[in-house]
Amino acid sequence: MIQACNVTLRLGKRALFEDVNIKFTEGNCYGLIGANGAGKSTFLKILNGQLEPSKGEVVITPGQRLSFLQQDHFKYDAFDVLSTVIMGNQRLYDIMKEKDAIYAKEDFTEEDGNRASELEAEFADLNGWEAESDAATLLNGLGIDTDLHYALMSDLNGSQKVKVLLAQALFGNPDILLLDEPTNHLDLEAIRWLEEFLINFENTVIVVSHDRYFLNKVCTHIADIDYAKIQLYAGNYDFWYESSQLMVKQMKEANKKKEEKIKELQEFIQRFSANASKSKQATSRKRALEKIELDDIRPSSRKYPYIDFRPFREIGNEVLTVTNLSKTINGVKVLDNISFIVNRDDKIAFVGSNTLAATTLFKILMGEMEPDSGSYKWGITTTQAYFPKDNTQMFSVDETIVDFLMPFSPEKDVTYVRGFLGRMLFAGEEGVKKVNVLSGGEKVRVMLSKMMIMGSNVLVMDEPTNHLDMESITALNNGLIKFPGVILFTALDHQFIQTTANRIMEIVPGGSLIDKVTTYDEYLDSDEMARKRTMMTVIEGEVED
């Protein structure tokens, strides 16, 4: 059990948290949600002791071990992967190192023998003999191949490091597990593995995530941060949303009835207060009027952008034809002779672990990269708007947001452009912020503003939900669902894919294409996926043998 008791945190004059009291108990998974800036990550830092509250305390059941997902991806660069995972249980790792140091001594004394005996007993109590195999199981589940287990962390790429640090947090069955955005940079297969791990995890979990499907899948409770308070709801994310909306609706209806009663009493008092025969009744109603209190309904601090892609031109029947397209990058066949035709009603999600293949395909289709062989042809009625995965170069210019967007606008009018910025929560002076100082989420909202301004009938989007808060993801999701044109996209948000796509493509390792007109959930349950998983299992078995 972990509990926050009267926790307050002040940043200058602003109270990020005010007298928060909340208890997280064993056997439950709590989704910590709130608007950007509400303090979700900060609250996790208070719980794990990285940050001291201005007032109050955090209480943990004595003897329980707390583990959290490290955010510093370079902290363990000097260590090998397996050791980094085992460091998730620091006491176990320290015992292993001390044992090794004692057994490496040439002049092994009686005192060393006694100490080694003590360490061996504690090592066994902590399941030390299974440590390496347990760590390897976690790594394999998250998609870190066995041949990388003894590699240095410095040799891994960013996505691989994230998976290792996640395995570290999960290692050794911690009593309390704190996870801040654990699905970031994970492929969909790794996310599915993590979902199953947390569903079967029997201790306390507190998780921050913008992935609605993930929260629905793993959470037993939702802890909602709003206006410096944390309100606890039983149930998953969808249940919280329905409950919170119903609560506001009920309070509004109750207030409406109270207002009607107030009006009725006021009218009676006004009519009969001067009438001697009715004076007692008027006085009684005055007392009743004084007792009626309206519920204080504070609007949520959450802000939803308004995302609406409206094509300037209706799309024709001929959209895109891809013929025998191939591309090799650094000696690896990324695209292998793939062909497909896009129809006017298609909303295609490119899924799977081979994210480089989809990014490469998008770059080729948008003219940023040449294929080794093959061709593609856009229909004459199509206009494309592109959301690249990496926008670093695009935002390196020293321009205001308005100036940045003006070249893409058909109306060379500042007011017209500011209208789109207002929809995307850039109000007032925020429109003159320089684009090279924007946060990740702000850059995404500027990119989406650009795409709305362009009025294209084909949207090509490579992981557009990265860096967005849950409110923005929901708004983008809704905007794409009602978009009347064609979409080619990648995403790591299950619900986003399931509710947007009507066709699924996967470029499997080796560069070949699986193409299905189906929903994402149906695709995951399809024969193709079953065969692919069987094939991958066989390959892994051959490698192990």
Side-chain angles (χ1 to χ4, degrees), residues 132-330:
E132 290 197 2
S133 62
D134 288 348
T137 299
L138 291 171
L139 290 167
N140 290 333
L142 287 166
I144 299 297
D145 293 336
T146 304
D147 58 357
L148 291 176
H149 290 188
Y150 292 96
L152 286 176
M153 286 288 286
S154 58
D155 294 333
L156 271 57
N157 63 35
S159 176
Q160 291 168 332
K161 285 184 177 181
V162 169
K163 291 180 177 181
V164 175
L165 293 178
L166 180 55
Q168 180 194 74
L170 304 178
F171 176 77
N173 194 36
D175 300 290
I176 301 161
L177 179 59
L178 309 182
L179 301 174
D180 191 356
E181 297 291 359
T183 61
N184 278 6
H185 308 292
L186 292 188
D187 55 74
L188 290 164
E189 285 298 315
I191 292 173
R192 292 184 76 187
W193 180 90
L194 178 60
E195 289 168 356
E196 292 303 315
F197 181 94
L198 294 180
I199 288 169
N200 295 311
F201 189 72
E202 297 180 350
N203 298 330
T204 305
V205 183
I206 307 171
V207 59
V208 172
S209 177
H210 291 144
D211 188 328
R212 297 159 295 169
Y213 181 89
F214 179 78
L215 292 176
N216 278 329
K217 191 90 171 177
V218 305
C219 289
T220 61
H221 296 72
I222 295 294
D224 179 29
I225 303 178
D226 210 353
Y227 288 107
K229 300 291 184 181
I230 302 182
Q231 179 72 37
L232 194 61
Y233 295 80
N236 62 14
Y237 177 79
D238 281 349
F239 188 82
W240 161 80
Y241 184 79
E242 295 296 332
S243 299
S244 60
Q245 296 299 305
L246 180 61
M247 187 182 301
V248 172
K249 181 181 178 182
Q250 289 174 338
M251 290 175 70
K252 286 181 177 178
E253 289 175 351
N255 273 357
K256 185 178 180 181
K257 290 179 181 178
K258 289 178 182 179
E259 287 168 350
E260 290 172 353
K261 185 66 176 176
I262 288 170
K263 184 178 179 181
E264 178 187 324
L265 292 172
Q266 287 173 335
E267 288 176 351
F268 185 93
I269 294 167
Q270 190 174 3
R271 286 175 60 196
F272 298 110
S273 58
N275 187 321
S277 64
K278 299 281 187 178
S279 62
K280 287 186 178 180
Q281 294 180 38
T283 301
S284 174
R285 280 164 171 74
K286 280 183 181 179
R287 294 196 192 99
L289 181 61
E290 290 169 356
K291 292 179 181 179
I292 297 177
E293 293 183 1
L294 296 177
D295 293 321
D296 182 21
I297 306 175
R298 298 186 72 178
S300 173
S301 60
R302 291 177 173 82
K303 294 181 180 180
Y304 290 82
Y306 178 71
I307 300 178
D308 187 18
F309 301 101
R310 297 185 181 183
F312 295 146
R313 181 180 183 179
E314 185 177 354
I315 201 165
N317 290 324
E318 294 184 5
V319 179
L320 173 65
T321 301
V322 174
T323 307
N324 301 326
L325 212 61
S326 293
K327 182 68 178 180
T328 297
I329 297 178
N330 297 328

Side-chain angles (χ1 to χ4, degrees), residues 57-78:
E57 63 177 345
V58 173
V59 178
I60 297 176
T61 301
Q64 290 199 337
R65 184 171 70 85
L66 181 148
S67 180
F68 61 93
L69 177 57
Q70 295 279 355
Q71 301 298 316
D72 183 354
H73 297 173
F74 304 99
K75 183 175 180 180
Y76 300 93
D77 274 1

